[in-house]
Amino acid sequence: MTEPQIQALFKEIADGGPGPSRVDTRLALRRGRARLRWLRACAAGTPVLAAAAVAVIALVVGAGTARHAAGPAPAAAQAALKFAVADSTGTSPLQVRDVATGAVVAQVNLPAEPGGRTYIGGVATRNGRTYLVALYRSSPCRSWLYQFGVNSRGQPTAVTPLRARPAIAGAELYDLAVSGNGQVLGFSSVSSGPGCTVPKAQPGHVGIVNIATGRMKEWTVPSSNAVNGVSLNANGSHLLYSLQLGPSVARIIPASAPPGQAADRGRTVLRAAQFGGSPWISFAAISPDGSAVCFSVYPPGGGGPGRIYVADLATGHARLVASGATYPGLIASDPSVRQLLLHMPNGLARLDLSTGKLTYLPGWKGFIGPITW
């Protein structure tokens, strides 16, 4: 099978062929990961960089026309983050890239776990210098947590296991967040499907891990739904997560809430239906002080154009910051939730959430995939 045929397959997945029509790139990736490995193995007879599906989908999702508006009250000045970590293949190594130029300045070689090939489930940072990464193996399903740093020259430190919680059996961790104080790890996970082979399928979860003690708490989400992502406020006291389907919402759970059904804990803070038609929320991030949420709204079908808002949680008022965003699964916030990296009609751009200023980054070329900064 040729590359164009593989791209066509993943366009079908992104458009909702094998499931619901409203499909985020991460959900498409999970559903199609096994099929892509098999197709590429048949075509080339070589190991497959499975999560390049994210970049393949990025080539075929529709674009829109950009419009920009000011966001909420301006935030305090912040030094621009110089480096970002990109997952361009879904497997080791990660890339360290210069944010301004897009140049790859270093690679982060991740450990190879025994028992089969491992894939990158998620990467998170609290400050643009220290990072956590989840690796997973599909059969038998298991995830590992590692940490590394990036110095002022963009060079990575050694990759070491997260000592308090080095592994989680029976689950694929596919999105991570770290609290600003570095004490809490947030995650979303699945325990069924082609990416996670277990003796008996289990529902998905959102949860938190105390990074010092390794103590973990989980809340159950329906297996029929998909968590697009998770986010934590600065002290890790509140976990924000967004659901893709039936209906698409963003919810906040207090870290103090007991385990159980996620729907029975916390509160819903955003509903995609508020914005007309049948849109969905592909990305959401809570501000460090917990007072606001930045989020995206896309029309049904998984393409674009998407709109970026910032909502004040005290009043419920949402201000439009930008329109015309593409690639709903490839939006990344900086740790302060003051800037985004996202794809716009003319390429990757940096968006200032306080002013609405958009700065294109033409040096970022080729397959990019998910970015963490």
Side-chain angles (χ1 to χ4, degrees):
M1 179 168 277
T2 65
E3 286 294 325
Q5 288 172 312
I6 293 174
Q7 291 182 8
L9 168 65
F10 275 83
K11 182 179 187 300
E12 173 192 348
I13 293 172
D15 289 342
S21 63
R22 193 183 301 153
V23 178
D24 168 71
T25 51
R26 267 171 276 190
L27 180 58
L29 173 60
R30 293 202 301 278
R31 287 178 172 164
R33 190 177 278 132
R35 292 171 71 186
L36 180 62
R37 286 202 300 270
W38 182 82
L39 289 169
R40 282 189 182 265
C42 290
T46 58
V48 176
L49 303 180
V54 170
V56 171
I57 293 170
L59 295 175
V60 295
V61 179
T65 303
R67 299 192 309 272
H68 314 295
Q78 177 205 7
L81 295 173
K82 186 174 182 180
F83 300 107
V85 170
D87 171 14
S88 62
T89 65
T91 60
S92 180
L94 292 166
Q95 295 177 338
V96 180
R97 301 182 70 154
D98 185 295
V99 172
T101 68
V104 177
V105 297
Q107 294 185 333
V108 183
N109 294 308
L110 302 173
E113 296 292 347
R117 190 168 191 181
T118 54
Y119 298 89
I120 297 168
V123 183
T125 183
R126 67 184 181 92
N127 54 16
R129 298 184 301 275
T130 58
Y131 291 81
L132 290 175
V133 57
L135 298 180
Y136 77 92
R137 182 186 62 219
S138 62
S139 182
C141 189
R142 187 178 181 88
S143 294
W144 292 265
L145 289 167
Y146 289 92
Q147 56 192 350
F148 64 92
V150 174
N151 67 20
S152 60
R153 302 185 308 279
Q155 300 304 302
T157 63
V159 178
T160 59
L162 184 64
R163 184 176 302 175
R165 193 83 190 192
I168 298 176
E172 173 197 340
L173 272 60
Y174 67 90
D175 196 72
L176 301 179
V178 184
S179 62
N181 61 10
Q183 296 180 8
V184 182
L185 169 70
F187 66 88
S188 56
S189 68
V190 292
S191 295
S192 63
C196 185
T197 304
V198 291
K200 183 179 180 180
Q202 302 292 327
H205 294 90
V206 293
I208 55 174
V209 175
N210 183 305
I211 291 176
T213 67
R215 184 179 178 183
M216 184 168 71
K217 186 187 293 187
E218 295 179 305
W219 298 278
T220 303
V221 294
S223 57
S224 60
N225 212 322
V227 176
N228 286 315
V230 294
S231 177
L232 288 163
N233 66 339
N235 64 9
S237 62
H238 289 85
L239 176 74
L240 172 78
Y241 69 98
S242 57
L243 289 172
Q244 182 172 323
L245 303 170
S248 181
V249 298
R251 306 189 76 254
I252 291 177
I253 299 179
S256 58
Q261 296 290 327
D264 297 333
R265 308 288 186 258
R267 63 191 177 104
T268 298
V269 295
L270 294 168
R271 299 180 185 274
Q274 296 171 230
F275 301 91
S278 301
W280 60 291
I281 298 169
S282 76
F283 160 86
I286 190 169
S287 63
D289 65 3
S291 67
V293 172
C294 171
F295 63 100
S296 64
V297 174
Y298 280 79
R307 292 167 285 166
I308 305 298
Y309 292 88
V310 176
D312 184 308
L313 294 183
T315 65
H317 179 62
R319 298 271 314 267
L320 178 66
V321 181
S323 296
T326 62
Y327 313 156
L330 299 177
I331 300 173
S333 169
D334 74 333
S336 68
V337 194
R338 294 172 181 162
Q339 299 180 77
L340 297 183
L341 290 181
L342 75 170
H343 291 262
M344 297 296 282
N346 294 326
L348 188 71
R350 177 165 48 199
L351 174 65
D352 187 310
L353 294 172
S354 66
T355 65
K357 180 182 178 181
L358 192 72
T359 304
Y360 277 99
L361 304 171
W364 290 72
K365 301 181 184 301
F367 284 173
I368 298 173
I371 299 170
T372 305
W373 69 320

